[in-house]
Amino acid sequence: MVPIVFVHGIRLSGAAWTEQLERANPPATAVDLPGHGARRGERFTLAGAVDAVVEAIDEPALVVGHSLGGYVAIAAAARHPDRVAGLLVAGSTCVPGKTLETPFRLAHRLLTRLPDRGERLSRRQFESVLPPKLAQSVLDGGIATEVIPDVAKAFADFDVLAELAAYPGPTWLVNGSRDHFRRHERRFLDACADGRLVTVPRAGHYLPMVRGEEFARLVLDAARGLASRPAEACPRRR
């Protein structure tokens, strides 16, 4: 099967993919985006984030992104289609703009006013929704609240639908049925050259981490599909 590269969501790190890395059969790796994980303190830029993904690819890979990581994965696929054998994005089908930017900036402002800059609140959030072992891995990887303004700035004028349309390869759009980031999923599907939409019942935004076994099956099914895919382009699918 093709290798897999995992791209994490905002404030998190490659540690968010600990369970997926344990379940993956093909060679798999998880990146830290600028400003996150081992790269905290760096400024987040979209170009730098795309570079982080591409530098992790030795041969054409299935790139799997969640939330922020999904948008970064789309940009990487559009700009380096020869390196991306397939694209799977989860919780990343809401068009960026004021509807996303404003809440994130407000959350950052509120968190940074707290004495611990929101560390305790973030800890409680992830401990309450994630399996204990994974929650500890996520917390050990660090919660980079300080990166939010740079991320908001980087995506202020990001035309995600145009970027998605520029990628000619197969794309899986995976959403939990209760995910608030699925708002524009039909527009995303229409933009795909070769796309399919998967909705997981009763799952929310943290689907890849909360429903790890189920998500791993979707990822491995996509990887197997790419391995058996003929060299010539497949027709557009719905």
Side-chain angles (χ1 to χ4, degrees), residues 16-191:
W17 297 108
T18 300
E19 182 179 359
Q20 296 301 315
L21 292 174
E22 292 173 352
R23 293 180 180 277
N25 289 328
T29 188
V31 303
D32 281 347
L33 297 176
H36 299 78
R39 302 183 64 176
R40 283 183 80 172
E42 296 181 30
R43 296 298 298 270
F44 179 93
T45 65
L46 182 55
V50 168
D51 287 345
V53 173
V54 174
E55 288 166 6
I57 300 174
D58 293 323
E59 59 181 286
L62 171 64
V63 178
V64 179
H66 172 235
S67 196
L68 166 64
Y71 295 108
V72 172
I74 289 170
R79 301 172 192 192
H80 301 274
D82 57 317
R83 310 299 296 277
V84 180
L87 182 63
L88 189 153
V89 298
S92 310
T93 53
C94 183
V95 176
K98 290 297 181 183
T99 55
L100 285 184
E101 182 183 359
T102 301
F104 275 120
R105 287 191 182 277
L106 179 60
H108 175 260
R109 191 175 305 136
L110 293 173
L111 289 172
T112 53
R113 287 177 180 172
L114 297 174
D116 64 351
R117 300 180 69 83
E119 183 70 25
R120 182 181 302 179
L121 188 61
S122 295
R123 177 175 291 273
R124 287 178 178 172
Q125 175 193 6
F126 291 114
E127 287 177 339
S128 68
V129 299
L130 303 183
K133 182 180 175 182
L134 180 55
Q136 191 58 55
S137 294
V138 166
L139 294 171
D140 289 346
I143 306 299
T145 299
E146 70 277 3
V147 81
I148 293 176
D150 281 346
V151 172
K153 180 180 179 182
F155 286 92
D157 57 356
F158 179 62
D159 190 344
V160 64
L161 296 178
E163 298 264 345
L164 186 57
Y167 174 59
T171 300
W172 288 262
L173 305 173
V174 179
N175 288 322
S177 64
R178 299 170 179 169
D179 190 347
H180 54 290
F181 275 80
R182 61 177 293 211
R183 179 178 178 184
H184 303 125
E185 59 186 17
R186 300 305 305 189
R187 293 173 63 186
F188 277 69
L189 182 61
D190 288 342

Side-chain angles (χ1 to χ4, degrees), residues 199-232:
T199 304
V200 179
R202 299 180 299 281
H205 186 62
Y206 290 108
L207 162 67
M209 293 180 280
V210 175
R211 305 267 285 269
E213 182 177 358
E214 195 169 355
F215 189 77
R217 286 199 299 269
L218 294 172
V219 171
L220 293 177
D221 284 349
R224 292 188 189 102
L226 291 174
S228 62
R229 189 180 176 86
E232 66 272 12

